[in-house]
Amino acid sequence: MTQQQLRIIVPPHPLIQHWLGVARDVATPSVLFRSAITELGRWLTYEAARDWLPTQEISVQTPLAACPATFINPNIPVAVVPILRAGLGLLEGAQGVLPLASIYHFGLVRNEETLEPTCYLNNLPEKFAPFTRVLITEPMLATGGSIMAVMAELTQRGVDPALTRIVSVIVAPPALQKLAAVYPGLIVYTATIDEILNDHGYIVPGLGDAGDRIFGT
Ligand code: URA
């Protein structure tokens, strides 16, 4: 049966909770904030890879006998799409888990008055191969403008939302509602859900501007 609802998974993992706490703390300096986001990228991607990475069964020969073994299927492409800037912070950890994935950068800048995103970099291929697994990295799902823009570009290029995973540090209801209305097969992995956005579209309590804190700007 196909999944009918957006799923939001908050893995109950002490490492994820720990690094979220470090990232939230305003006293955390940029260098440690970057480490926290890298670690969150690693552990959230690890969780997202469960039931998503395609595997195949092959027989191997141990020193003692033949034995069935499960490997990642190298014939099914895996892609990571970091949404620039802040999505770059999650990329190193995601790549540690998915070392063979192709990386397609997608750059969006938010207009601070309208809160609408404008694309300044689109490295996506014209068409993705069928069954490509796509993992999007975006630390904050707030108003949903950026993630909806990226999902529209991906699905126009043949990506199946049911084979897509979003890795995000903090998500908020406005973005989740928009995703749920259009992409019911999608799964979001996040460290937490915060309920409130302020008038500038920032998540409260959140962690502030993820891009500024990652890059020290
Ligand atoms: N982007 C951020 O960096 N922080 C927020 O709280 C919302 C969007």
Side-chain angles (χ1 to χ4, degrees):
M1 206 174 71
T2 42
Q3 174 198 319
Q4 292 305 318
Q5 282 184 328
L6 177 77
R7 281 171 63 200
I8 298 112
I9 306 218
V10 183
H13 197 297
L15 286 172
I16 292 175
Q17 290 160 356
H18 172 84
W19 289 115
L20 172 66
V22 172
R24 280 199 193 272
D25 188 346
V26 69
T28 297
S30 183
V31 63
L32 182 57
F33 184 84
R34 241 181 346 262
S35 298
I37 299 297
T38 298
E39 291 307 314
L40 287 161
R42 186 185 328 280
W43 300 117
L44 288 167
T45 301
Y46 168 82
E47 293 285 345
R50 207 186 291 274
D51 303 329
W52 173 76
L53 267 185
T55 56
Q56 61 183 3
E57 307 298 314
I58 298 178
S59 178
V60 295
Q61 184 73 36
T62 78
L64 301 178
C67 167
T70 304
F71 291 92
I72 306 299
N73 186 337
N75 301 314
I76 298 188
V78 177
V80 178
V81 178
I83 305 182
L84 275 52
R85 276 180 312 168
L88 286 178
L90 293 165
L91 181 60
E92 186 186 328
Q95 270 191 300
V97 177
L98 307 171
L100 300 183
S102 304
I103 313 300
Y104 299 106
H105 296 86
F106 197 92
L108 289 173
V109 62
R110 186 162 77 154
N111 181 312
E112 289 306 331
E113 270 156 32
T114 64
L115 302 184
E116 289 303 317
T118 308
C119 177
Y120 63 88
L121 176 73
N122 181 346
N123 271 353
L124 300 178
E126 243 168 57
K127 205 82 192 157
F128 282 85
F131 309 114
T132 299
R133 272 45 174 184
V134 176
L135 183 124
I136 304 170
T137 63
E138 165 62 284
M140 310 297 278
L141 295 188
T143 61
S146 301
I147 195 67
M148 291 301 284
V150 172
M151 283 300 299
E153 292 288 341
L154 288 171
T155 50
Q156 274 166 31
R157 289 167 164 77
V159 169
D160 179 353
L163 298 179
T164 302
R165 302 288 182 267
I166 298 172
V167 160
S168 186
V169 176
I170 304 181
V171 302
L176 298 178
Q177 282 154 11
K178 285 182 191 147
L179 286 170
V182 185
Y183 304 110
L186 191 60
I187 308 184
V188 179
Y189 284 79
T190 184
T192 195
I193 304 173
D194 281 359
E195 294 297 327
I196 299 167
L197 291 193
N198 70 12
D199 293 344
H200 303 287
Y202 280 84
I203 298 176
V204 181
L207 50 72
D209 189 304
D212 281 357
R213 295 192 67 193
I214 290 166
F215 296 107
T217 46

